[in-house]
């Protein structure tokens, strides 16, 4: 009987009931464009917790209005938003899962229509409320508007916004936080030589390119309790020459660990429009394993981990400490229960009617 996947894991004293977590996935359902959670979020995050996930990471949530990807994203730059998250947090807690939130700034990839392209896709038009995007350098992501390069005051504003959002997240009851530094969004844009052409102390060497991320981490750590675990999501490779490498990522993760980060959530890509990404089952797992081996930090693997035995094997053989299952958990919001059934594990936290359903 195998059950590494359903063993608890502890981060900074926070015990999480298993290692099968749900990664952040934007829902783009805030019709009021005010960043405040809506009933959909209760249904969505509640069903994932009910479906057996150990922890759920709430979708990319803008730390400032212009840091949202689309106008329909969640935000955490005011207290109304904080209060709106409380019922979501309470519901997930009531179901025995832990809940984190991904704090994000979309940088030059902000101000787009929501992904499904209704009424339109790509860069928002001014009449629909497009805003000026910001980035390390005035270099557009292909197809999107040219961003303004952040000056020192702008950089300080970003750092402060992450810290303020972090405080609000903890006040809303979130168990842990994740800082989004992947997929071509602002902090990744600073890390990558492909989007960061700066010649000041934020550009050039890896140390300089990582400076903003480490400042954000320090500021966040400075306003939250020591007991709150902190995760950072990184694109470990960009899959193209000249981009961030796994070796560089490992160095960044070493620094992150020294600055009080507890978990490296290892993804890839997103900062270039066309990259030869070898998409397939578990294609990013080797990146997580490489970072884990180089740094010793706790790592989460993500990306086409769709099958219970595959997830079990990743954890059981130490390729990663946690697996994040995204789209498969949307296809089957009982994925955790189905995985437990396949692995022949009895989950004590499954509500009785749902246990009964599995007895046939
Ligand atoms: C609808 C959707 C929304 C997503 N939104 C986010 C997000 O907000 N933040 C993030 O870091 N990744 C986001 N992702 C990427 C997922 O977290 C995950 O890394 C990716 O889907 C690969 O895992 P999977 O194959 O298990 O789905 C999103 C993916 C999907 C499908």
């Amino acid at each position: 009987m195998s059950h590494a996947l359903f063993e608890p894991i502890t981060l900074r004293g926070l015990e999480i009931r298993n290692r099968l977590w749900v990664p952040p996935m934007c829902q783009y359902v805030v019709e009021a464009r005010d960043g405040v959670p809506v009933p959909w979020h209760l249904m969505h995050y509640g069903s994932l917790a009910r479906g057996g996930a150990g922890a759920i990471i709430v979708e990319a949530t803008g730390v400032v209005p212009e840091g949202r990807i689309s106008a329909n994203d969640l935000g955490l730059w005011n207290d109304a938003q904080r209060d709106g998250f409380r019922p979501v947090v309470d519901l997930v807690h009531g179901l025995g899962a832990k809940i984190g939130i991904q704090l994000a700034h979309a940088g030059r990839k902000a101000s787009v229509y929501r992904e499904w392209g209704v009424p339109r896709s790509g860069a928002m038009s001014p009449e629909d409320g497009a805003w000026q995007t910001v980035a390390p350098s005035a270099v557009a992501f292909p197809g999107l508007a040219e961003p303004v390069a952040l000056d020192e005051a702008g950089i300080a504003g970003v750092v402060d916004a992450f810290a303020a959002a972090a405080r609000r997240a903890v006040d809303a009851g979130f168990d842990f936080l994740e800082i989004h530094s992947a997929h071509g969004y602002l902090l990744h844009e600073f890390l990558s030589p492909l989007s960061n052409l700066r010649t000041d102390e934020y550009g050039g060497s890896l140390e300089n390119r990582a400076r903003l991320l480490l400042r954000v981490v320090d500021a966040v750590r400075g306003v939250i309790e020591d007991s709150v675990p902190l995760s950072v999501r990184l694109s470990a490779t960009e899959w193209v020459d000249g981009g961030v490498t796994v070796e560089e990522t490992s160095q960044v993760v070493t620094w992150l660990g020294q600055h009080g980060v507890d978990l490296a959530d290892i993804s890839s890509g997103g900062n270039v429009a066309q990259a030869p990404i070898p998409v397939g089952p578990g294609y990013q797992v080797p990146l997580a394993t490489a970072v884990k081996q180089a740094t010793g930090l706790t790592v989460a693997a993500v990306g086409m981990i769709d099958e219970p035995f595959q997830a079990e094997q990743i954890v059981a053989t130490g390729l990663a400490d946690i697996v994040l299952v995204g789209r498969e958990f949307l296809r089957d919001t009982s994925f955790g229960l189905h995985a437990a059934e396949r692995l022949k594990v009895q989950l004590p936290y499954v509500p009785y009617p749902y246990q009964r359903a599995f007895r046939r």
Side-chain angles (χ1 to χ4, degrees):
M1 185 158 97
S2 55
H3 52 75
L5 187 63
F6 288 101
E7 283 295 308
I9 184 167
T10 300
L11 295 174
R12 273 190 195 250
L14 177 75
E15 188 180 283
I16 295 135
R17 64 187 180 183
N18 66 48
R19 288 129 185 279
L20 173 61
W21 298 14
V22 182
M25 285 182 284
C26 282
Q27 299 298 299
Y28 307 106
V29 291
V30 184
E31 299 300 334
R33 297 181 163 212
D34 60 3
V36 177
V38 296
W40 174 275
H41 294 108
L42 276 173
M43 179 284 294
H44 171 64
Y45 292 113
S47 65
L48 298 169
R50 194 272 307 145
I56 293 153
I57 307 177
V58 166
E59 68 206 73
T61 296
V63 298
V64 285
E66 67 275 17
R68 290 170 297 170
I69 302 167
S70 83
N72 307 104
D73 292 12
L74 289 170
L76 204 36
W77 63 84
N78 67 40
D79 292 350
Q81 294 158 345
R82 176 201 62 199
D83 295 345
F85 278 109
R86 287 202 170 112
V88 179
V89 170
D90 292 346
L91 176 62
V92 169
H93 283 164
L95 292 160
K98 300 298 184 200
I99 183 164
I101 184 166
Q102 187 182 53
L103 302 177
H105 192 308
R108 66 178 185 159
K109 285 176 74 177
S111 191
V112 296
Y113 292 101
R114 50 186 153 193
E115 210 174 273
W116 56 82
V118 177
R120 297 163 65 181
S121 60
M124 258 206 294
S125 67
E127 57 270 24
D128 284 334
W131 59 84
Q132 176 62 59
T133 58
V134 297
S137 306
V139 181
F141 186 85
L144 301 183
E146 186 174 303
V148 165
L150 283 168
D151 60 14
E152 180 53 50
I155 286 175
V158 167
V159 173
D160 291 347
F162 269 98
R167 187 61 248 167
R168 287 197 182 92
V170 174
D171 289 342
F174 283 101
D175 301 292
F176 66 100
L177 309 178
E178 175 164 286
I179 293 169
H180 198 352
S181 186
H183 302 167
Y185 298 116
L186 185 68
L187 298 176
H188 180 192
E189 290 161 20
F190 270 81
L191 282 173
S192 172
L194 300 172
S195 44
N196 181 347
L197 310 181
R198 299 176 76 99
T199 53
D200 63 2
E201 58 176 346
Y202 293 96
S205 66
L206 181 62
E207 202 179 359
N208 282 357
R209 286 181 276 124
R211 193 177 302 282
L212 176 57
L213 173 60
L214 293 173
R215 269 188 75 180
V216 166
V217 165
D218 288 346
V220 166
R221 264 272 153 247
V223 297
I224 62 175
E225 290 76 4
D226 284 349
S227 57
V228 179
L230 191 54
S231 167
V232 173
R233 178 167 261 203
L234 294 154
S235 285
T237 175
E238 315 211 53
W239 303 108
V240 291
D241 288 344
V244 171
T245 64
V246 184
E247 292 71 28
E248 285 187 327
T249 301
S250 296
Q251 177 60 67
V252 171
V253 169
T254 298
W255 289 330
L256 290 172
Q258 291 162 355
H259 285 249
V261 169
D262 308 288
L263 175 65
D265 172 359
I266 299 301
S267 188
S268 74
N271 199 29
V272 290
Q274 298 287 337
I277 304 181
V279 175
Y283 71 103
Q284 294 176 140
V285 174
L287 302 171
T289 306
V291 170
K292 181 176 166 64
Q293 286 172 352
T295 66
L297 205 72
T298 303
V299 301
V302 66
M304 293 186 72
I305 303 169
D306 294 342
E307 205 278 324
F309 284 96
Q310 177 198 18
E312 167 67 21
Q313 189 255 354
I314 290 165
V315 179
T317 59
L319 299 178
D321 303 286
I322 291 158
V323 293
L324 300 167
V325 173
R327 287 164 294 175
E328 182 58 21
F329 236 119
L330 299 187
R331 288 187 286 264
D332 170 16
T333 57
S334 290
F335 179 74
L337 312 186
H338 283 133
E341 186 191 36
R342 290 275 309 281
L343 297 172
K344 299 194 172 17
V345 179
Q346 281 281 330
L347 298 182
Y349 40 79
V350 177
Y352 173 74
Y354 282 80
Q355 283 193 34
R356 216 180 106 175
F358 279 85
R359 280 189 217 137
R360 312 286 172 198

